[in-house]
Amino acid sequence: MAASVPQPPAIASRIVPLPEPLHRFWISLDELVADVQPTPWGAVVTDARFPDVWETNYARVDVATEVSVATIEAVLLPSLLRAGVRVEHLVSFHHEAHGELLAELSARGHRISWDLAMVLDATPGAIAEDIAVEELPPADELWTAAAGSMRDSFGIEPAAAVEQLLTLERAVLAPAGKRWFAVRDEHGRPVSLGTLLVLGGTGYVDNVATDPAARGRGYAGAIVTRIAHETREAGAAGPFLLTDPDAPAVVRFYERRGFASAGFLVSTKGSMPDA
């Protein structure tokens, strides 16, 4: 029996091709962070400094035509092995064209993941006057808070992956202009975080998380609104973000702040095939 083609989540969303500014941001981020090997169908991206960070070691499939697994792996697998990476990871910007690719990898045991792209589709809301959102400098306080958020809010593991992500943030993304925003609790501790990175003329929101004990106070919303204003003041497109389409409360959180669905990104992750 042929493997079934994985389908995007059935959520209320206008299914459209992913916007060009988001794709442009993604390509710019790859070129900033990693070694990029262009291919006729996209690119292979690797960075031996971060073997446990899948986002810096993967195949990016850009074309809206079917591509075979064999064609991709002919370039991807040798590059991953040279970088010391043990997991095969692909990202498709055109899931509607890559059904056979997704089906073959799914049948092989790869996990198929969907991200809902969202974009600010309105004028940013008013900045909350009763919540102080500050920009944190790239120093020890920020990196301690970021590491805790990676572990506790996003469940990133193993510890080596957290350390590699922190190195990526400190050594590459902060010098490129990535900005961290925070709200402090009554003890002065950063308890809610969010980031903005502008590349290729596009703003991107990431790392939005609040400590469980501080949730329900509007902190994350205030940070996202501040980031939206900063993006518009920079003259950048968006901002854009990716979120879990199977988390309707999170989707509604962004919709209340003027964000709208902008399509789906699909990724696969699985064991490297036997040599």
Side-chain angles (χ1 to χ4, degrees), residues 149-218:
S149 179
M150 290 174 187
R151 291 189 302 265
D152 301 335
S153 296
F154 296 105
I156 295 174
E157 55 182 20
V162 174
E163 288 303 315
Q164 290 169 28
L165 281 168
L166 287 175
T167 300
L168 175 63
E169 294 287 343
R170 289 192 298 257
V172 181
L173 299 180
K178 185 171 182 178
R179 302 166 66 189
W180 288 76
F181 298 88
V183 174
R184 300 180 185 273
D185 64 9
E186 60 273 17
H187 305 294
R189 184 173 65 95
V191 293
S192 188
L193 299 171
T195 66
L196 168 64
L197 179 59
V198 176
L199 291 174
T202 302
Y204 186 78
V205 182
D206 203 3
N207 308 100
V208 177
T210 302
D211 287 1
R215 292 174 184 168
R217 304 179 189 178

Side-chain angles (χ1 to χ4, degrees), residues 28-50:
S28 298
L29 181 61
D30 284 344
E31 292 173 347
L32 170 69
V33 171
D35 296 320
V36 179
Q37 182 178 353
T39 70
W41 42 264
V44 165
V45 180
T46 54
D47 194 324
R49 295 174 298 175
F50 312 117

Side-chain angles (χ1 to χ4, degrees), residues 83-122:
V85 178
R86 298 176 297 278
V87 173
E88 184 178 7
H89 182 42
L90 287 80
V91 174
S92 164
F93 277 81
H94 290 280
H95 67 84
E96 72 286 352
H98 299 147
E100 293 181 10
L101 172 70
L102 297 175
E104 181 175 343
L105 290 172
S106 178
R108 191 192 287 179
H110 281 223
R111 180 168 61 87
I112 308 298
S113 299
W114 298 91
D115 285 301
L116 174 65
M118 304 189 76
V119 60
L120 185 66
D121 201 29

Side-chain angles (χ1 to χ4, degrees), residues 28-92:
S28 298
L29 181 61
D30 284 344
E31 292 173 347
L32 170 69
V33 171
D35 296 320
V36 179
Q37 182 178 353
T39 70
W41 42 264
V44 165
V45 180
T46 54
D47 194 324
R49 295 174 298 175
F50 312 117
D52 296 304
V53 179
W54 317 132
E55 291 82 359
T56 63
N57 295 280
Y58 77 107
R60 191 186 72 230
V61 188
D62 296 330
V63 296
T65 54
E66 189 65 68
V67 185
S68 72
V69 173
T71 296
I72 293 172
E73 288 186 336
V75 186
L76 175 63
L77 297 185
S79 297
L80 293 179
L81 290 173
R82 286 193 296 270
V85 178
R86 298 176 297 278
V87 173
E88 184 178 7
H89 182 42
L90 287 80
V91 174
S92 164

